[in-house]
Amino acid sequence: GIDPTFAKAYARMAIAYELLSGYGALSNEDRLNLVRENVDQALFLDQNIPEAYAALGLMYNSSGEFQKGIEALNKTLELNLNNGIAYMWLGNLYIFSDEQKAIDLYTRAYEIDPLNHVVRSNYVRTLILQDRNDEAIEQYNELIKQEPKQLFYYYRVGEIKAYSQGKIREAFELFFEAKEIDPDASFTLYYIGTLSIDIGMEEYFDQVYSEVVQKYPDNESRKYMEFW
């Protein structure tokens, strides 16, 4: 179990639960309860633990409370200016409202933590924001060579091909590669399902949607697919 006096452990558990809600089968209600419970315990033990505020920032982002997310992550950085991944998460909050701010934050994260592949992956997003998609694909393909089982990189290349370059069939095939790595990943099923409509395979969408409902009844991917 967790050492009851170890505040950082509770804070990092909160971050783990928040991330699990996107990539696993954790329901939104359970996510909120578990993140809040662990953050509260962490802050009870230590009011100045950066990771607790980072967890809050992620939680607010997932809940659509973006300004609260920005405030929480700024508090994280106030307590620890060298937290590279916090800059990255803050960049995620700005990416739809202030692209230059997002670019600056992703760049700062990469300067601090260039060996972190998740940070590097998001840094490559700066190329996408500058319409340098071929360079971005090249960088992601290099990351795939280094970590061939990291689905996130496949997602990024697939997104570029599908939504920026209009290469729907290539993207669909790429997401199928990701499915071979992990057949149960909810985001992979989401991408395959939604793109199947674009290539005229509506019956396959129904099949994948049923699979998502069965495996992840409360996952965000199911809610996104319902719009389709």
Side-chain angles (χ1 to χ4, degrees):
I2 297 178
D3 181 344
T5 64
F6 189 24
K8 185 175 287 188
Y10 286 101
R12 290 187 171 177
M13 281 290 290
I15 291 172
Y17 281 126
E18 175 57 43
L19 296 175
L20 184 62
S21 69
Y23 293 96
L26 196 62
S27 71
N28 189 54
E29 181 179 357
D30 287 342
R31 169 185 68 85
L32 288 171
N33 290 336
L34 289 166
V35 172
R36 190 78 250 187
E37 176 185 321
N38 280 277
V39 165
D40 288 348
Q41 183 62 27
L43 292 176
F44 174 77
L45 295 168
D46 183 353
Q47 285 286 320
N48 293 311
I49 183 162
E51 291 85 354
Y53 294 100
L56 283 176
L58 291 173
M59 183 188 75
Y60 288 133
N61 183 21
S62 296
S63 302
E65 299 178 88
F66 302 127
Q67 187 55 44
K68 287 184 177 180
I70 288 170
E71 291 170 4
L73 284 164
N74 277 327
K75 178 66 173 179
T76 302
L77 294 169
E78 177 186 320
L79 294 168
N80 180 7
L81 282 172
N82 293 315
N83 189 329
I85 204 160
Y87 283 101
M88 184 197 79
W89 286 331
L90 190 56
N92 290 345
L93 279 161
Y94 277 104
I95 198 165
F96 295 113
S97 61
D98 188 339
E99 286 190 357
Q100 187 55 53
K101 179 74 170 178
I103 288 171
D104 293 343
L105 289 163
Y106 288 144
T107 301
R108 181 59 183 146
Y110 184 66
E111 289 171 349
I112 292 171
D113 197 0
L115 299 181
N116 184 314
H117 285 181
V118 177
V119 168
R120 181 181 170 190
S121 176
N122 278 274
Y123 172 67
V124 177
R125 294 178 82 180
T126 64
L127 298 176
I128 301 172
L129 294 174
Q130 299 171 72
D131 294 320
R132 295 159 62 187
N133 292 317
D134 289 336
E135 292 177 64
I137 289 174
E138 185 179 333
Q139 291 273 350
Y140 282 125
N141 284 337
E142 183 60 34
L143 286 166
I144 288 172
K145 289 179 183 177
Q146 296 174 27
E147 286 191 297
K149 294 186 178 181
Q150 174 53 262
L151 300 181
F152 191 72
Y153 308 144
Y154 294 85
Y155 296 161
R156 286 282 178 252
V157 176
E159 288 168 357
I160 295 171
K161 287 182 178 293
Y163 308 125
S164 297
Q165 298 180 333
K167 299 177 180 178
I168 306 298
R169 175 68 67 174
E170 288 186 24
F172 187 77
E173 292 172 356
L174 188 67
F175 290 126
F176 250 101
E177 286 185 41
K179 192 173 189 295
E180 290 176 358
I181 295 169
D182 183 354
D184 296 325
S186 60
F187 278 127
T188 305
L189 295 173
Y190 161 73
Y191 283 121
I192 289 174
T194 53
L195 289 180
S196 67
I197 294 177
D198 295 324
I199 60 175
M201 296 175 60
E202 288 83 357
E203 72 285 352
Y204 192 73
F205 173 85
D206 294 335
Q207 176 185 329
V208 174
Y209 178 69
S210 296
E211 189 175 349
V212 170
V213 170
Q214 181 180 358
K215 292 179 178 177
Y216 306 111
D218 296 308
N219 188 268
E220 292 299 312
S221 294
R222 174 192 174 178
K223 298 173 186 176
Y224 295 147
M225 289 184 76
E226 286 173 351
F227 287 107
W228 295 79

mmCIF file of all heavy atoms in Angstrom, residues 22-61:
data_model
loop_
_atom_site.group_PDB
_atom_site.id
_atom_site.type_symbol
_atom_site.label_atom_id
_atom_site.label_comp_id
_atom_site.label_asym_id
_atom_site.label_seq_id
_atom_site.Cartn_x
_atom_site.Cartn_y
_atom_site.Cartn_z
ATOM 1 N N GLY A 22 -8.538 8.142 -19.729
ATOM 2 C CA GLY A 22 -8.500 8.276 -21.172
ATOM 3 C C GLY A 22 -8.065 7.017 -21.874
ATOM 4 O O GLY A 22 -8.511 6.714 -22.970
ATOM 5 N N TYR A 23 -7.183 6.264 -21.238
ATOM 6 C CA TYR A 23 -6.575 5.121 -21.908
ATOM 7 C C TYR A 23 -7.097 3.778 -21.409
ATOM 8 O O TYR A 23 -6.773 2.740 -21.960
ATOM 9 C CB TYR A 23 -5.056 5.167 -21.735
ATOM 10 C CG TYR A 23 -4.440 6.333 -22.451
ATOM 11 C CD1 TYR A 23 -4.163 7.513 -21.781
ATOM 12 C CD2 TYR A 23 -4.148 6.266 -23.804
ATOM 13 C CE1 TYR A 23 -3.600 8.599 -22.437
ATOM 14 C CE2 TYR A 23 -3.590 7.337 -24.476
ATOM 15 C CZ TYR A 23 -3.316 8.503 -23.786
ATOM 16 O OH TYR A 23 -2.772 9.571 -24.441
ATOM 17 N N GLY A 24 -7.902 3.794 -20.360
ATOM 18 C CA GLY A 24 -8.392 2.539 -19.812
ATOM 19 C C GLY A 24 -9.895 2.552 -19.660
ATOM 20 O O GLY A 24 -10.610 3.265 -20.350
ATOM 21 N N ALA A 25 -10.383 1.736 -18.720
ATOM 22 C CA ALA A 25 -11.820 1.543 -18.575
ATOM 23 C C ALA A 25 -12.399 2.280 -17.372
ATOM 24 O O ALA A 25 -13.455 1.922 -16.873
ATOM 25 C CB ALA A 25 -12.107 0.045 -18.445
ATOM 26 N N LEU A 26 -11.717 3.298 -16.894
ATOM 27 C CA LEU A 26 -12.181 4.032 -15.724
ATOM 28 C C LEU A 26 -13.293 5.001 -16.128
ATOM 29 O O LEU A 26 -13.146 5.768 -17.078
ATOM 30 C CB LEU A 26 -11.009 4.809 -15.115
ATOM 31 C CG LEU A 26 -11.155 5.343 -13.693
ATOM 32 C CD1 LEU A 26 -11.342 4.208 -12.706
ATOM 33 C CD2 LEU A 26 -9.928 6.178 -13.324
ATOM 34 N N SER A 27 -14.404 4.952 -15.415
ATOM 35 C CA SER A 27 -15.520 5.833 -15.743
ATOM 36 C C SER A 27 -15.197 7.262 -15.317
ATOM 37 O O SER A 27 -14.326 7.506 -14.474
ATOM 38 C CB SER A 27 -16.796 5.373 -15.031
ATOM 39 O OG SER A 27 -16.707 5.612 -13.642
ATOM 40 N N ASN A 28 -15.941 8.208 -15.882
ATOM 41 C CA ASN A 28 -15.721 9.613 -15.552
ATOM 42 C C ASN A 28 -15.984 9.876 -14.073
ATOM 43 O O ASN A 28 -15.239 10.607 -13.416
ATOM 44 C CB ASN A 28 -16.618 10.488 -16.425
ATOM 45 C CG ASN A 28 -16.286 11.965 -16.288
ATOM 46 O OD1 ASN A 28 -15.155 12.385 -16.462
ATOM 47 N ND2 ASN A 28 -17.284 12.758 -15.967
ATOM 48 N N GLU A 29 -17.035 9.269 -13.550
ATOM 49 C CA GLU A 29 -17.364 9.474 -12.136
ATOM 50 C C GLU A 29 -16.272 8.920 -11.228
ATOM 51 O O GLU A 29 -15.849 9.572 -10.265
ATOM 52 C CB GLU A 29 -18.700 8.798 -11.805
ATOM 53 C CG GLU A 29 -19.141 8.989 -10.359
ATOM 54 C CD GLU A 29 -20.471 8.325 -10.052
ATOM 55 O OE1 GLU A 29 -21.080 7.751 -10.984
ATOM 56 O OE2 GLU A 29 -20.899 8.375 -8.885
ATOM 57 N N ASP A 30 -15.802 7.706 -11.538
ATOM 58 C CA ASP A 30 -14.730 7.111 -10.741
ATOM 59 C C ASP A 30 -13.455 7.945 -10.848
ATOM 60 O O ASP A 30 -12.720 8.110 -9.867
ATOM 61 C CB ASP A 30 -14.448 5.687 -11.202
ATOM 62 C CG ASP A 30 -15.543 4.714 -10.783
ATOM 63 O OD1 ASP A 30 -16.318 5.057 -9.873
ATOM 64 O OD2 ASP A 30 -15.632 3.627 -11.387
ATOM 65 N N ARG A 31 -13.183 8.437 -12.061
ATOM 66 C CA ARG A 31 -11.993 9.276 -12.262
ATOM 67 C C ARG A 31 -12.027 10.484 -11.327
ATOM 68 O O ARG A 31 -11.058 10.745 -10.601
ATOM 69 C CB ARG A 31 -11.930 9.764 -13.713
ATOM 70 C CG ARG A 31 -10.864 10.851 -13.940
ATOM 71 C CD ARG A 31 -10.924 11.386 -15.360
ATOM 72 N NE ARG A 31 -12.123 12.131 -15.653
ATOM 73 C CZ ARG A 31 -12.290 13.430 -15.392
ATOM 74 N NH1 ARG A 31 -11.319 14.113 -14.812
ATOM 75 N NH2 ARG A 31 -13.412 14.044 -15.695
ATOM 76 N N LEU A 32 -13.139 11.208 -11.341
ATOM 77 C CA LEU A 32 -13.248 12.410 -10.521
ATOM 78 C C LEU A 32 -13.078 12.091 -9.036
ATOM 79 O O LEU A 32 -12.357 12.796 -8.315
ATOM 80 C CB LEU A 32 -14.597 13.090 -10.761
ATOM 81 C CG LEU A 32 -14.773 13.785 -12.118
ATOM 82 C CD1 LEU A 32 -16.216 14.224 -12.306
ATOM 83 C CD2 LEU A 32 -13.833 14.971 -12.241
ATOM 84 N N ASN A 33 -13.726 11.024 -8.594
ATOM 85 C CA ASN A 33 -13.656 10.665 -7.180
ATOM 86 C C ASN A 33 -12.241 10.264 -6.763
ATOM 87 O O ASN A 33 -11.739 10.690 -5.713
ATOM 88 C CB ASN A 33 -14.624 9.529 -6.873
ATOM 89 C CG ASN A 33 -16.083 9.961 -6.944
ATOM 90 O OD1 ASN A 33 -16.391 11.143 -6.790
ATOM 91 N ND2 ASN A 33 -16.981 9.024 -7.193
ATOM 92 N N LEU A 34 -11.587 9.438 -7.592
ATOM 93 C CA LEU A 34 -10.262 8.934 -7.237
ATOM 94 C C LEU A 34 -9.198 10.026 -7.334
ATOM 95 O O LEU A 34 -8.298 10.097 -6.488
ATOM 96 C CB LEU A 34 -9.903 7.754 -8.138
ATOM 97 C CG LEU A 34 -10.685 6.473 -7.859
ATOM 98 C CD1 LEU A 34 -10.520 5.472 -9.000
ATOM 99 C CD2 LEU A 34 -10.220 5.844 -6.541
ATOM 100 N N VAL A 35 -9.302 10.865 -8.348
ATOM 101 C CA VAL A 35 -8.335 11.969 -8.460
ATOM 102 C C VAL A 35 -8.496 12.915 -7.277
ATOM 103 O O VAL A 35 -7.523 13.277 -6.617
ATOM 104 C CB VAL A 35 -8.523 12.731 -9.789
ATOM 105 C CG1 VAL A 35 -7.655 13.996 -9.809
ATOM 106 C CG2 VAL A 35 -8.163 11.841 -10.971
ATOM 107 N N ARG A 36 -9.732 13.305 -6.999
ATOM 108 C CA ARG A 36 -9.982 14.250 -5.920
ATOM 109 C C ARG A 36 -9.550 13.685 -4.565
ATOM 110 O O ARG A 36 -8.930 14.386 -3.755
ATOM 111 C CB ARG A 36 -11.476 14.573 -5.891
ATOM 112 C CG ARG A 36 -11.884 15.701 -4.994
ATOM 113 C CD ARG A 36 -11.561 17.035 -5.647
ATOM 114 N NE ARG A 36 -10.472 17.700 -4.958
ATOM 115 C CZ ARG A 36 -10.082 18.931 -5.238
ATOM 116 N NH1 ARG A 36 -10.686 19.626 -6.190
ATOM 117 N NH2 ARG A 36 -9.087 19.488 -4.578
ATOM 118 N N GLU A 37 -9.855 12.418 -4.335
ATOM 119 C CA GLU A 37 -9.502 11.765 -3.076
ATOM 120 C C GLU A 37 -7.990 11.769 -2.849
ATOM 121 O O GLU A 37 -7.505 12.087 -1.760
ATOM 122 C CB GLU A 37 -10.034 10.334 -3.101
ATOM 123 C CG GLU A 37 -9.661 9.484 -1.901
ATOM 124 C CD GLU A 37 -10.136 8.047 -2.066
ATOM 125 O OE1 GLU A 37 -11.258 7.841 -2.585
ATOM 126 O OE2 GLU A 37 -9.373 7.136 -1.701
ATOM 127 N N ASN A 38 -7.234 11.430 -3.894
ATOM 128 C CA ASN A 38 -5.783 11.354 -3.750
ATOM 129 C C ASN A 38 -5.139 12.736 -3.713
ATOM 130 O O ASN A 38 -4.151 12.940 -2.991
ATOM 131 C CB ASN A 38 -5.202 10.511 -4.886
ATOM 132 C CG ASN A 38 -5.346 9.026 -4.641
ATOM 133 O OD1 ASN A 38 -4.555 8.402 -3.955
ATOM 134 N ND2 ASN A 38 -6.416 8.442 -5.184
ATOM 135 N N VAL A 39 -5.687 13.683 -4.463
ATOM 136 C CA VAL A 39 -5.178 15.055 -4.380
ATOM 137 C C VAL A 39 -5.405 15.625 -2.986
ATOM 138 O O VAL A 39 -4.513 16.242 -2.395
ATOM 139 C CB VAL A 39 -5.851 15.950 -5.443
ATOM 140 C CG1 VAL A 39 -5.603 17.430 -5.134
ATOM 141 C CG2 VAL A 39 -5.309 15.630 -6.825
ATOM 142 N N ASP A 40 -6.601 15.422 -2.454
ATOM 143 C CA ASP A 40 -6.903 15.945 -1.119
ATOM 144 C C ASP A 40 -5.961 15.368 -0.071
ATOM 145 O O ASP A 40 -5.489 16.090 0.831
ATOM 146 C CB ASP A 40 -8.351 15.630 -0.743
ATOM 147 C CG ASP A 40 -9.353 16.470 -1.525
ATOM 148 O OD1 ASP A 40 -8.925 17.446 -2.174
ATOM 149 O OD2 ASP A 40 -10.558 16.133 -1.502
ATOM 150 N N GLN A 41 -5.671 14.072 -0.177
ATOM 151 C CA GLN A 41 -4.768 13.446 0.774
ATOM 152 C C GLN A 41 -3.359 13.993 0.628
ATOM 153 O O GLN A 41 -2.659 14.260 1.617
ATOM 154 C CB GLN A 41 -4.754 11.925 0.580
ATOM 155 C CG GLN A 41 -3.894 11.161 1.585
ATOM 156 C CD GLN A 41 -4.361 11.317 3.021
ATOM 157 O OE1 GLN A 41 -5.540 11.557 3.284
ATOM 158 N NE2 GLN A 41 -3.443 11.192 3.968
ATOM 159 N N ALA A 42 -2.922 14.189 -0.613
ATOM 160 C CA ALA A 42 -1.582 14.727 -0.853
ATOM 161 C C ALA A 42 -1.448 16.133 -0.286
ATOM 162 O O ALA A 42 -0.455 16.455 0.392
ATOM 163 C CB ALA A 42 -1.285 14.739 -2.353
ATOM 164 N N LEU A 43 -2.443 16.986 -0.536
ATOM 165 C CA LEU A 43 -2.374 18.371 -0.064
ATOM 166 C C LEU A 43 -2.571 18.471 1.444
ATOM 167 O O LEU A 43 -2.076 19.408 2.081
ATOM 168 C CB LEU A 43 -3.414 19.222 -0.794
ATOM 169 C CG LEU A 43 -3.138 19.429 -2.290
ATOM 170 C CD1 LEU A 43 -4.277 20.208 -2.934
ATOM 171 C CD2 LEU A 43 -1.814 20.143 -2.509
ATOM 172 N N PHE A 44 -3.275 17.507 2.018
ATOM 173 C CA PHE A 44 -3.397 17.463 3.476
ATOM 174 C C PHE A 44 -2.023 17.246 4.110
ATOM 175 O O PHE A 44 -1.701 17.826 5.158
ATOM 176 C CB PHE A 44 -4.352 16.337 3.883
ATOM 177 C CG PHE A 44 -4.432 16.114 5.372
ATOM 178 C CD1 PHE A 44 -5.161 16.976 6.182
ATOM 179 C CD2 PHE A 44 -3.779 15.034 5.970
ATOM 180 C CE1 PHE A 44 -5.228 16.774 7.557
ATOM 181 C CE2 PHE A 44 -3.838 14.829 7.335
ATOM 182 C CZ PHE A 44 -4.570 15.697 8.142
ATOM 183 N N LEU A 45 -1.212 16.412 3.446
ATOM 184 C CA LEU A 45 0.124 16.109 3.958
ATOM 185 C C LEU A 45 1.144 17.181 3.597
ATOM 186 O O LEU A 45 2.096 17.414 4.344
ATOM 187 C CB LEU A 45 0.592 14.757 3.416
ATOM 188 C CG LEU A 45 -0.221 13.545 3.872
ATOM 189 C CD1 LEU A 45 0.143 12.321 3.043
ATOM 190 C CD2 LEU A 45 0.038 13.268 5.360
ATOM 191 N N ASP A 46 0.946 17.823 2.433
ATOM 192 C CA ASP A 46 1.925 18.814 1.971
ATOM 193 C C ASP A 46 1.228 19.783 1.027
ATOM 194 O O ASP A 46 0.867 19.422 -0.097
ATOM 195 C CB ASP A 46 3.084 18.110 1.256
ATOM 196 C CG ASP A 46 4.182 19.072 0.810
ATOM 197 O OD1 ASP A 46 3.988 20.292 0.933
ATOM 198 O OD2 ASP A 46 5.220 18.591 0.335
ATOM 199 N N GLN A 47 1.033 21.027 1.468
ATOM 200 C CA GLN A 47 0.324 22.023 0.670
ATOM 201 C C GLN A 47 1.126 22.492 -0.545
ATOM 202 O O GLN A 47 0.583 23.154 -1.433
ATOM 203 C CB GLN A 47 -0.017 23.240 1.545
ATOM 204 C CG GLN A 47 -1.169 23.013 2.507
ATOM 205 C CD GLN A 47 -2.504 22.992 1.784
ATOM 206 O OE1 GLN A 47 -2.743 23.764 0.869
ATOM 207 N NE2 GLN A 47 -3.391 22.086 2.194
ATOM 208 N N ASN A 48 2.403 22.178 -0.576
ATOM 209 C CA ASN A 48 3.268 22.692 -1.640
ATOM 210 C C ASN A 48 3.852 21.585 -2.512
ATOM 211 O O ASN A 48 5.006 21.669 -2.934
ATOM 212 C CB ASN A 48 4.401 23.526 -1.031
ATOM 213 C CG ASN A 48 3.892 24.801 -0.390
ATOM 214 O OD1 ASN A 48 3.121 25.544 -0.999
ATOM 215 N ND2 ASN A 48 4.287 25.054 0.847
ATOM 216 N N ILE A 49 3.057 20.580 -2.798
ATOM 217 C CA ILE A 49 3.548 19.485 -3.636
ATOM 218 C C ILE A 49 3.104 19.722 -5.084
ATOM 219 O O ILE A 49 1.907 19.744 -5.389
ATOM 220 C CB ILE A 49 3.075 18.118 -3.103
ATOM 221 C CG1 ILE A 49 3.650 16.996 -3.954
ATOM 222 C CG2 ILE A 49 1.568 18.029 -3.019
ATOM 223 C CD1 ILE A 49 3.604 15.655 -3.265
ATOM 224 N N PRO A 50 4.043 19.951 -5.986
ATOM 225 C CA PRO A 50 3.685 20.321 -7.363
ATOM 226 C C PRO A 50 2.809 19.288 -8.066
ATOM 227 O O PRO A 50 1.889 19.658 -8.819
ATOM 228 C CB PRO A 50 5.055 20.434 -8.055
ATOM 229 C CG PRO A 50 6.042 20.623 -6.959
ATOM 230 C CD PRO A 50 5.498 19.905 -5.778
ATOM 231 N N GLU A 51 3.075 18.009 -7.856
ATOM 232 C CA GLU A 51 2.346 16.961 -8.570
ATOM 233 C C GLU A 51 0.845 16.975 -8.261
ATOM 234 O O GLU A 51 0.037 16.580 -9.117
ATOM 235 C CB GLU A 51 2.938 15.590 -8.238
ATOM 236 C CG GLU A 51 4.328 15.351 -8.793
ATOM 237 C CD GLU A 51 5.433 15.880 -7.899
ATOM 238 O OE1 GLU A 51 5.118 16.541 -6.886
ATOM 239 O OE2 GLU A 51 6.613 15.627 -8.201
ATOM 240 N N ALA A 52 0.473 17.417 -7.066
ATOM 241 C CA ALA A 52 -0.954 17.470 -6.728
ATOM 242 C C ALA A 52 -1.674 18.504 -7.587
ATOM 243 O O ALA A 52 -2.785 18.269 -8.074
ATOM 244 C CB ALA A 52 -1.130 17.792 -5.249
ATOM 245 N N TYR A 53 -1.036 19.646 -7.784
ATOM 246 C CA TYR A 53 -1.644 20.682 -8.618
ATOM 247 C C TYR A 53 -1.637 20.264 -10.094
ATOM 248 O O TYR A 53 -2.543 20.620 -10.848
ATOM 249 C CB TYR A 53 -0.919 22.011 -8.416
ATOM 250 C CG TYR A 53 -1.096 22.540 -7.016
ATOM 251 C CD1 TYR A 53 -0.092 22.385 -6.060
ATOM 252 C CD2 TYR A 53 -2.282 23.159 -6.624
ATOM 253 C CE1 TYR A 53 -0.256 22.839 -4.754
ATOM 254 C CE2 TYR A 53 -2.458 23.626 -5.324
ATOM 255 C CZ TYR A 53 -1.443 23.453 -4.387
ATOM 256 O OH TYR A 53 -1.614 23.903 -3.095
ATOM 257 N N ALA A 54 -0.621 19.492 -10.478
ATOM 258 C CA ALA A 54 -0.603 18.962 -11.841
ATOM 259 C C ALA A 54 -1.791 18.032 -12.066
ATOM 260 O O ALA A 54 -2.448 18.073 -13.120
ATOM 261 C CB ALA A 54 0.708 18.223 -12.099
ATOM 262 N N ALA A 55 -2.075 17.181 -11.079
ATOM 263 C CA ALA A 55 -3.232 16.283 -11.182
ATOM 264 C C ALA A 55 -4.528 17.076 -11.308
ATOM 265 O O ALA A 55 -5.408 16.731 -12.107
ATOM 266 C CB ALA A 55 -3.288 15.360 -9.966
ATOM 267 N N LEU A 56 -4.643 18.159 -10.535
ATOM 268 C CA LEU A 56 -5.829 19.008 -10.638
ATOM 269 C C LEU A 56 -5.931 19.632 -12.028
ATOM 270 O O LEU A 56 -7.010 19.721 -12.605
ATOM 271 C CB LEU A 56 -5.775 20.114 -9.577
ATOM 272 C CG LEU A 56 -6.116 19.716 -8.139
ATOM 273 C CD1 LEU A 56 -5.927 20.911 -7.212
ATOM 274 C CD2 LEU A 56 -7.547 19.206 -8.046
ATOM 275 N N GLY A 57 -4.789 20.069 -12.563
ATOM 276 C CA GLY A 57 -4.789 20.654 -13.897
ATOM 277 C C GLY A 57 -5.295 19.689 -14.942
ATOM 278 O O GLY A 57 -6.098 20.053 -15.812
ATOM 279 N N LEU A 58 -4.852 18.438 -14.852
ATOM 280 C CA LEU A 58 -5.315 17.411 -15.790
ATOM 281 C C LEU A 58 -6.804 17.139 -15.606
ATOM 282 O O LEU A 58 -7.548 16.965 -16.578
ATOM 283 C CB LEU A 58 -4.514 16.125 -15.588
ATOM 284 C CG LEU A 58 -3.040 16.164 -15.988
ATOM 285 C CD1 LEU A 58 -2.352 14.879 -15.559
ATOM 286 C CD2 LEU A 58 -2.893 16.366 -17.482
ATOM 287 N N MET A 59 -7.230 17.074 -14.358
ATOM 288 C CA MET A 59 -8.635 16.811 -14.061
ATOM 289 C C MET A 59 -9.532 17.908 -14.628
ATOM 290 O O MET A 59 -10.551 17.634 -15.277
ATOM 291 C CB MET A 59 -8.847 16.696 -12.555
ATOM 292 C CG MET A 59 -10.283 16.354 -12.153
ATOM 293 S SD MET A 59 -10.547 16.445 -10.352
ATOM 294 C CE MET A 59 -10.591 18.232 -10.122
ATOM 295 N N TYR A 60 -9.134 19.159 -14.411
ATOM 296 C CA TYR A 60 -9.933 20.276 -14.923
ATOM 297 C C TYR A 60 -9.946 20.285 -16.451
ATOM 298 O O TYR A 60 -10.959 20.612 -17.074
ATOM 299 C CB TYR A 60 -9.396 21.602 -14.393
ATOM 300 C CG TYR A 60 -9.667 21.846 -12.931
ATOM 301 C CD1 TYR A 60 -8.660 22.289 -12.069
ATOM 302 C CD2 TYR A 60 -10.944 21.649 -12.398
ATOM 303 C CE1 TYR A 60 -8.907 22.526 -10.729
ATOM 304 C CE2 TYR A 60 -11.210 21.879 -11.047
ATOM 305 C CZ TYR A 60 -10.180 22.312 -10.219
ATOM 306 O OH TYR A 60 -10.434 22.546 -8.890
ATOM 307 N N ASN A 61 -8.837 19.931 -17.060
ATOM 308 C CA ASN A 61 -8.770 19.861 -18.518
ATOM 309 C C ASN A 61 -9.783 18.843 -19.042
ATOM 310 O O ASN A 61 -10.545 19.123 -19.974
ATOM 311 C CB ASN A 61 -7.349 19.493 -18.958
ATOM 312 C CG ASN A 61 -7.195 19.476 -20.471
ATOM 313 O OD1 ASN A 61 -7.974 20.086 -21.198
ATOM 314 N ND2 ASN A 61 -6.187 18.771 -20.946
#
